Amino acid sequence: MESRFYMLLYRLSHAQRTVIRPRGAALGLGSGQPKLIDYLARKGPCSQKQLADYFEIDPAAVCRMLDALEKGGFASRSVDKNDRRTGTIRLTDKGSQAAAAWQQAAEDVEQQMLAGFTRQEKQQFAAYFRRAYRNLKPDSSFGREPALPQEETQTREKE
Amino acid sequence: MESRFYMLLYRLSHAQRTVIRPRGAALGLGSGQPKLIDYLARKGPCSQKQLADYFEIDPAAVCRMLDALEKGGFASRSVDKNDRRTGTIRLTDKGSQAAAAWQQAAEDVEQQMLAGFTRQEKQQFAAYFRRAYRNLKPDSSFGREPALPQEETQTREKE
DNA sequence: AGTCAATGATTGATGTGTCAATCATCGGCT
DNA sequence: AGCCGATGATTGACACATCAATCATTGACT
């Protein structure tokens, strides 16, 4: 019986990915793209930096996945008029539909994964996740608004 | 506050990877290689198929990681005399040392992740992981001996 | 024996992720 | 105004994972 937590986490994470990947693929999405359109569908248009921050992935990865999403007709990029460095990402209609379908798929998988869990067990499981996460990232803003960049309190008097 | 389990799992998995990756990199290992030498150190020499089965990854990925491990001097491949399709993977001394160092790193990270968890909470957390995993992979052999491929009592009197 | 399906290992193509470097823009500073 | 560091986006190089296809070997069945 496996008892190391890194293996437990590895296996569950891997199993979830394996189960959900085909659902995204059926929509014409790669394995990383669904979460982006999910975010866009939930929170509305945003910049690439917001996506990278929220999912804690490299902006380069976001950039390439958006290339793919744009090519697939799921999203569009436009330049922010106030800050021309920043792009604004929007879902197309096709993207919105795919997001809805994927949200359903994610819900299905969650139901399957947590089948037999009582409401309290789910809450406890989630609480464990959050505690463990905060232990690994004590400085993180997990649970707070990711849209607030928190600007470092400015004690940054570099020399 | 994030409440979807796929995000909780995503974030914890990602955080763990982020914390542990530099520890492997310090040993000259990529992000996927430590688990292989860990397995080899714990269970002894084995075939590539065993590694692929145990970690539930594509044999192609194992093959390429072993290329890297071999090139780095961590492991060696040799051909099984009974079945020349099968290769036997062995750790070198350098590989064994790296495995020991990595096991320590993994333990450190686990300690950090589960800081403040009581023994019972850890057990319950682990039990939730196993239940969720089994829900996603009901046919799996999670928890049984993966090293015993179940067949072969196999009377090796073939010569 | 000799064909043939199954198996272990490998290679190619593609998507995701990291790290490092670059480019364009912005904003503060003198 | 003009430098100059910070920032958002992008690109290149590499590692890991999947899928598909191939190769060599094996074992089973005529």
Side-chain angles (χ1 to χ4, degrees):
Chain A
M1 174 56 94
E2 188 59 68
S3 65
R4 275 123 63 228
F5 268 85
Y6 95 90
M7 278 303 299
L8 295 174
L9 186 47
Y10 174 89
R11 292 203 122 109
L12 184 57
S13 182
H14 188 278
Q16 185 191 235
R17 211 179 333 133
T18 299
V19 170
I20 212 168
R21 181 193 298 260
R23 306 285 299 253
L27 300 167
L29 296 168
S31 59
Q33 299 162 22
K35 59 173 176 287
L36 300 187
I37 64 174
D38 180 49
Y39 182 92
L40 289 163
R42 290 174 186 274
K43 317 244 175 164
C46 68
S47 70
Q48 300 187 202
K49 174 162 179 32
Q50 270 179 276
L51 291 168
D53 286 347
Y54 186 77
F55 294 105
E56 300 170 6
I57 53 180
D58 197 292
V62 174
C63 183
R64 282 164 182 130
M65 286 190 283
L66 288 176
D67 289 346
L69 286 173
E70 222 174 359
K71 181 147 71 166
F74 296 98
S76 68
R77 278 189 262 221
S78 58
V79 176
D80 186 307
K81 287 181 177 52
N82 295 357
D83 184 345
R84 302 201 7 233
R85 292 170 302 187
T86 304
T88 303
I89 319 299
R90 259 173 257 276
L91 284 185
T92 61
D93 289 351
K94 180 179 177 186
S96 297
Q97 292 165 14
W102 190 79
Q103 285 167 11
Q104 182 59 54
E107 190 134 341
D108 293 347
V109 172
E110 182 169 318
Q111 294 258 343
Q112 179 186 347
M113 182 173 93
L114 299 178
F117 281 66
T118 67
R119 165 183 290 278
Q120 275 152 350
E121 286 173 331
K122 288 182 197 176
Q123 286 176 356
Q124 196 163 30
F125 197 17
Y128 287 156
F129 269 113
R130 296 194 186 97
R131 282 172 67 187
Y133 180 83
R134 278 196 263 258
N135 281 339
L136 289 182
K137 301 188 68 116
D139 56 334
S140 126
S141 62
F142 191 34
R144 289 189 255 130
E145 313 308 307
L148 293 182
Q150 181 62 340
E151 73 237 23
E152 311 289 341
T153 61
Q154 202 67 350
T155 44
R156 209 53 254 166
E157 69 279 16
K158 55 128 172 106
E159 179 6 27
Chain B
M1 175 55 96
E2 188 59 67
S3 65
R4 273 122 64 227
F5 268 85
Y6 96 89
M7 278 303 300
L8 296 174
L9 186 48
Y10 173 88
R11 293 201 122 110
L12 184 57
S13 182
H14 188 279
Q16 184 191 235
R17 210 180 332 135
T18 300
V19 171
I20 211 168
R21 179 191 300 256
R23 305 287 297 254
L27 301 167
L29 297 168
S31 58
Q33 298 163 22
K35 60 174 176 285
L36 300 187
I37 64 175
D38 180 50
Y39 182 92
L40 288 163
R42 290 174 185 275
K43 317 244 176 164
C46 68
S47 69
Q48 302 188 201
K49 174 163 180 33
Q50 270 178 277
L51 292 168
D53 286 347
Y54 186 78
F55 293 105
E56 302 170 4
I57 53 180
D58 198 291
V62 175
C63 183
R64 284 167 183 127
M65 285 191 283
L66 287 176
D67 289 346
L69 286 173
E70 220 174 2
K71 182 148 68 167
F74 297 99
S76 69
R77 279 188 261 220
S78 59
V79 176
D80 186 306
K81 288 183 175 52
N82 294 1
D83 184 345
R84 302 198 12 230
R85 293 169 301 186
T86 304
T88 303
I89 319 298
R90 258 172 258 276
L91 284 185
T92 61
D93 288 351
K94 180 179 176 187
S96 297
Q97 292 165 14
W102 190 80
Q103 284 166 12
Q104 184 58 54
E107 190 134 343
D108 293 347
V109 172
E110 182 169 318
Q111 294 257 345
Q112 180 185 347
M113 181 173 95
L114 299 178
F117 281 66
T118 67
R119 165 182 288 280
Q120 276 163 343
E121 286 173 331
K122 288 183 195 176
Q123 286 176 356
Q124 196 161 30
F125 197 16
Y128 287 157
F129 269 114
R130 295 193 186 97
R131 282 171 67 187
Y133 180 83
R134 277 196 264 258
N135 281 339
L136 288 182
K137 302 188 65 116
D139 56 335
S140 126
S141 64
F142 190 34
R144 288 190 252 129
E145 314 307 307
L148 292 182
Q150 187 71 325
E151 82 300 21
E152 281 105 324
T153 338
Q154 179 54 5
T155 65
R156 55 205 57 213
E157 64 241 0
K158 89 167 6 182
E159 62 212 289

